[in-house]
Amino acid sequence: MILNVSKSKQRVFLSIFFFMSGFTFSSWASRIPTIKHTFDLNEAELGSLLFALPIGSLIGLPISGWLVSRFNSRGPLVVSYALNSLMLLCIGFTTSIYSLVAAVVVFAFTLRIFNISINTQAINLQTHFTGKIVGSFHGFWSTGGIAGILFSTALLAMNVEVHTHFALVAVLTFVVAVYSYQFLLTDDKTARGNKLKLGKPDPIIVMLGVLAFLSSICEGGMFDWSGIYFQKVLNVKIFTYGYLIFMTFMALSRFLSDFIIQRIGMPKTYILSATLIVIGILLAVLAPYFWTALIGFSIVGFGTAAIIPMSFSMAGASKKYSAGLAISVITTYSITGMLIGPPLIGYLAQTFELRAAFITFAICGLMIIPVSQMLFRYKNRMTNK
């Protein structure tokens, strides 16, 4: 039976999916120090393990692009999310490093398909609203991340094992996915721009991709290494504090991002975001104390939050590709950032120290400024032709 669902209700249930996705991912990321300890990994070995995430995502690249162009997005969205919950369960129960790597690869593979599908839903649903709503969806993702970290922190305080933790999360998210399927946007398959065209690339998509790449190095690195930073550099027993404050301010920024963009415009928002990333990282690195690191991580969270949503929303206006395929192309750049970032931090930390490795995030943040301004100069030239 097909329900006649209002656009407002579709927005609510899509927001729930974003929330639960953030909850699932933060549950995984907040337990990385536990996994590191369980398998007795050093920083370089952990960096190698984290390679499995972007590798799984890259494997899913051609499949995710084909699915969103071949079908309506809600089918791949729900199926991939249910499988993603199952892989989280497998990660929690594995006792072999080889099965752990395999589970992480498939976890990332399903997450790739889910992310393309859910952002395609968000951009297509945006066309039914006059005000901007994409930023709020990503805000719900970050809010779900906060809830996941708080849940992880509570379970850590009670010494709950990781397999029990991941089992609880998997069951909850699976039930939500199955129930919410009926309320999602339907018939959003587009008739044009569904094939990746070789030849001259779309300059706007390329520059948006580079911005996503730089942002993903910062964002992915903070996801994977903030807990390790608080554990090893600051010697904090409850190591989720850094990840929690980062996600809290990321959520706050994403709920405010639509308002900020409307007030100062996207070009200045990119500059503001980049500046905050640089300031926050330098504060945490140059003053490695609990409170200064908390403040620094919160500033970084506020800075990174708007970059990916802004880049995705601009991709929806591509003349060459459909929304789903444009997002898939930009996400490829993002996944490459995820591929390079966390393992690079691991290798740099093993060679030097973790504090020095974090400078990488500040450099990437600084590079966002010239790339974003190049993007808008090119966009203005094309508009005025």
Side-chain angles (χ1 to χ4, degrees), residues 193-241:
N194 287 323
K195 292 184 178 180
L196 188 62
K197 302 174 183 178
L198 301 178
K200 185 178 179 181
D202 184 338
I204 291 180
I205 297 299
V206 170
M207 285 183 277
L208 288 173
V210 172
L211 290 170
F213 169 80
L214 295 170
S215 177
S216 293
I217 291 179
C218 300
E219 193 172 323
M222 291 296 290
F223 288 154
D224 292 348
W225 286 99
S226 58
I228 306 295
Y229 192 90
F230 267 68
Q231 184 183 56
K232 295 204 67 174
V233 176
L234 307 180
N235 297 314
V236 177
K237 183 178 180 181
I238 305 297
F239 49 76
T240 53
Y241 287 137

Side-chain angles (χ1 to χ4, degrees), residues 104-357:
V104 171
V105 167
V106 182
F107 177 80
F109 175 83
T110 55
L111 188 62
R112 162 72 176 193
I113 297 173
F114 173 79
N115 283 337
I116 297 299
S117 302
I118 197 171
N119 280 290
T120 300
Q121 280 256 328
I123 289 181
N124 287 328
L125 191 58
Q126 170 70 82
T127 61
H128 298 281
F129 292 82
T130 54
K132 292 185 178 296
I133 63 173
V134 173
S136 67
F137 286 131
H138 289 268
F140 277 108
W141 187 92
S142 298
T143 304
I146 295 169
I149 301 165
L150 290 173
F151 187 57
S152 299
T153 303
L155 295 185
L156 279 169
M158 293 185 290
N159 295 315
V160 175
E161 296 291 340
V162 66
H163 61 269
T164 304
H165 177 186
F166 285 179
L168 292 171
V169 174
V171 171
L172 175 62
T173 54
F174 183 82
V175 171
V176 171
V178 171
Y179 176 74
S180 301
Y181 169 80
Q182 59 190 317
F183 300 106
L184 295 179
L185 184 68
T186 60
D187 300 325
D188 63 341
K189 178 187 172 183
T190 56
R192 66 167 188 88
N194 287 323
K195 292 184 178 180
L196 188 62
K197 302 174 183 178
L198 301 178
K200 185 178 179 181
D202 184 338
I204 291 180
I205 297 299
V206 170
M207 285 183 277
L208 288 173
V210 172
L211 290 170
F213 169 80
L214 295 170
S215 177
S216 293
I217 291 179
C218 300
E219 193 172 323
M222 291 296 290
F223 288 154
D224 292 348
W225 286 99
S226 58
I228 306 295
Y229 192 90
F230 267 68
Q231 184 183 56
K232 295 204 67 174
V233 176
L234 307 180
N235 297 314
V236 177
K237 183 178 180 181
I238 305 297
F239 49 76
T240 53
Y241 287 137
Y243 191 19
L244 174 61
I245 199 71
F246 172 77
M247 289 295 292
T248 299
F249 277 82
M250 176 177 277
L252 176 63
S253 178
R254 281 180 168 167
F255 282 118
L256 293 174
S257 64
D258 290 334
F259 171 77
I260 293 172
I261 291 168
Q262 288 176 344
R263 291 298 299 269
I264 68 175
M266 281 191 182
K268 291 182 179 178
T269 304
Y270 273 111
I271 294 175
L272 175 62
S273 299
T275 303
L276 291 175
I277 291 171
V278 174
I279 291 173
I281 290 296
L282 291 180
L283 179 60
V285 169
L286 298 178
Y289 307 103
F290 179 77
W291 289 107
T292 50
L294 275 182
I295 295 171
F297 278 32
S298 67
I299 295 173
V300 176
F302 203 93
T304 57
I307 298 172
I308 294 294
M310 281 194 296
S311 301
F312 280 169
S313 65
M314 291 184 68
S318 174
K319 304 297 183 183
K320 189 173 183 179
Y321 300 120
S322 66
L325 196 55
I327 291 173
S328 183
V329 173
I330 293 173
T331 303
T332 302
Y333 286 87
S334 176
I335 293 302
T336 305
M338 293 285 186
L339 173 66
I340 293 173
L344 176 62
I345 297 302
Y347 299 141
L348 290 175
Q350 185 70 16
T351 304
F352 303 101
E353 61 174 350
L354 193 55
R355 285 175 59 199

